[in-house]
Amino acid sequence: MTDSRRIAMALGDAGGIGLELAARVLSDAREGTDILVFGDRRALELGAHQAGVTLDLPVIGLDALGAPIDGNVLIDLGTFDPDDAMIGTATASSGAAALENFRAALLTAKAGLADAVAFTPFNKAAMRMAKSDYVDEIGFVDAVLGAPRSGREFNVLDEVWNARVTSHIPLRDVAGMLNADRIFDSLHLTVEVMQDAGFERPRIGVAALNPHAGDGRNFGTEDEDIILPAVERARAHQMAVTGPVPSDTVFVRALKGEFDAVLTMFHDQGQIAMKLIGFDRGVTLIAGYGFPIVTPAHGTAYDIAGQGIADTGATLAALSLGRRLAGRTTQRGTDDAARADLRAALTKRPDWAAGKTGTTKAIAGS
């Protein structure tokens, strides 16, 4: 193989720009990375048509997983029929296909046959149509991997990283979800992940929850009673942490070089800033498992889907970050029994999966 770092990439929502992005990236593959693409061959062909590129990608069967593989290959899961595609629209079939592709990529990495997982953009509404209890990627990853602890999302740019304490919850619930232990755990994980990415001692600015960091308890007590104790605890553990910093200036200070990362208390507190700074370059990293999970930070962009104009900048940045982190926490390789278990798991379709049959048929050969 050309490189020990192999990425398992799941094709995302077929109604959006994900198929086009995958096709563009695979037609201009970066040297030194083997990408195992999980999805439907017909869907990827649709993406190539949208992108105006030609792909010559070998197709392998599930029985070939674990054998030496050179370069990029497609594992055709038969998850989606492009005849069902509704470009620019969320559908149950596209949501189910994306979930199945993601599940296969996750299980392959868990089995030690890939060092990182990537996916092109998902659409949560489509995924809920297919799996009614679907909330977000973290909960799905937890369930598929049987993870002992939930991971956390990071948004990554060259200029600054963004970690967050809470993510996909209503804004009215944020304050009640905050406690010193949760904030400290978020800081600890941020340090671990950034050290894996090459930061020797990452400097983290912790965003306040309330205006003016509470203004001396005039605008709320959470900053002094919850966030500050977590910051002090982190400092006692030799972390380079500052805060709580008013959230309207914390990213300004980071961009001036004071912080390598900002820990925000809720989703849009960081997302708005990060997307203003570098929408076409941003990467979402899900960390805290045995391998990194990366995706472009933007969404499915239904408004431009199928037009062949999607920008691959964030997708390439995601794969680059996956390569940086790949292999640092995962040991490649597994035994024959584990490979057999993986093939059995991928062959049996989950109850929520769309399709007319009870098994996934992978196509051997190309």
Side-chain angles (χ1 to χ4, degrees), residues 26-100:
L26 292 165
S27 70
D28 183 27
R30 308 288 117 168
E31 270 189 78
T33 300
D34 295 320
I35 301 179
L36 297 176
V37 184
F38 290 88
D40 191 291
R41 175 164 55 183
R42 299 162 298 175
L44 189 56
E45 288 171 351
L46 174 62
H49 175 75
Q50 293 170 342
V53 301
T54 300
L55 290 178
D56 183 19
L57 204 64
V59 181
I60 68 170
L62 296 178
D63 56 350
L65 277 177
I69 298 171
D70 190 21
N72 303 330
V73 299
L74 170 68
I75 295 88
D76 188 342
L77 299 176
T79 48
F80 186 69
D81 186 345
D83 289 342
D84 296 333
M86 295 181 65
I87 304 302
T89 303
T91 65
S93 57
S94 63
L99 283 169
E100 285 195 78

Side-chain angles (χ1 to χ4, degrees), residues 78-347:
T79 48
F80 186 69
D81 186 345
D83 289 342
D84 296 333
M86 295 181 65
I87 304 302
T89 303
T91 65
S93 57
S94 63
L99 283 169
E100 285 195 78
N101 300 342
F102 191 32
R103 174 178 174 269
L106 290 169
L107 290 175
T108 298
K110 180 183 180 182
L113 299 180
D115 302 295
V117 168
F119 58 91
T120 58
F122 293 154
N123 182 276
K124 291 180 175 60
M127 294 158 107
R128 277 192 290 274
M129 290 180 191
K131 191 176 189 296
S132 60
D133 62 350
Y134 180 84
V135 175
D136 62 12
E137 287 77 6
I138 290 177
F140 186 76
V141 174
D142 288 347
V144 169
L145 300 181
R149 69 170 184 176
S150 291
R152 298 287 173 87
E153 276 193 356
F154 297 79
N155 287 100
V156 180
L157 289 167
D158 290 339
E159 300 94 325
V160 62
W161 286 46
N162 172 219
R164 50 189 187 246
V165 180
T166 68
S167 192
H168 297 116
I169 64 172
L171 186 58
R172 66 177 176 269
D173 296 339
V174 170
M177 293 291 291
L178 297 180
N179 59 64
D181 285 343
R182 184 168 187 154
I183 295 168
F184 175 81
D185 289 345
S186 297
L187 287 167
H188 191 271
L189 179 61
T190 301
V191 171
E192 284 183 358
V193 173
M194 293 189 73
Q195 286 178 337
D196 281 344
F199 292 84
E200 183 175 346
R201 191 167 185 258
R203 301 162 301 159
I204 305 170
V206 180
L209 176 67
N210 297 302
H212 308 298
D215 190 43
R217 305 178 73 83
N218 192 39
F219 301 147
T221 61
E222 292 86 357
D223 298 291
E224 290 190 19
D225 293 349
I226 297 174
I227 299 176
L228 181 58
V231 168
E232 292 174 340
R233 181 179 169 191
R235 288 177 185 155
H237 283 75
Q238 307 305 310
M239 300 181 205
V241 177
T242 301
V245 180
S247 60
D248 58 356
T249 58
V250 66
F251 279 95
V252 175
R253 292 170 62 173
L255 290 180
K256 288 182 176 180
E258 187 174 347
F259 307 129
D260 302 305
V262 174
L263 177 70
T264 50
M265 297 300 111
F266 58 92
H267 186 279
D268 284 359
Q269 191 181 35
Q271 283 280 65
I272 292 171
M274 295 294 283
K275 290 189 176 183
L276 280 171
I277 296 166
F279 180 81
D280 293 329
R281 300 178 286 111
V283 176
T284 296
L285 165 68
I286 304 175
Y289 304 103
F291 48 85
I293 303 168
V294 294
T295 188
H298 60 70
T300 47
Y302 282 159
D303 57 323
I304 63 169
Q307 299 178 33
I309 59 175
D311 190 315
T312 59
T315 305
L316 291 171
L319 293 172
S320 177
L321 180 62
R323 285 193 291 270
R324 283 173 62 189
L325 296 174
R328 291 178 179 268
T329 56
T330 298
Q331 295 296 318
R332 169 65 61 79
T334 186
D335 57 29
D336 290 341
R339 294 177 189 176
D341 289 344
L342 171 64
R343 289 192 292 269
L346 296 185
T347 300

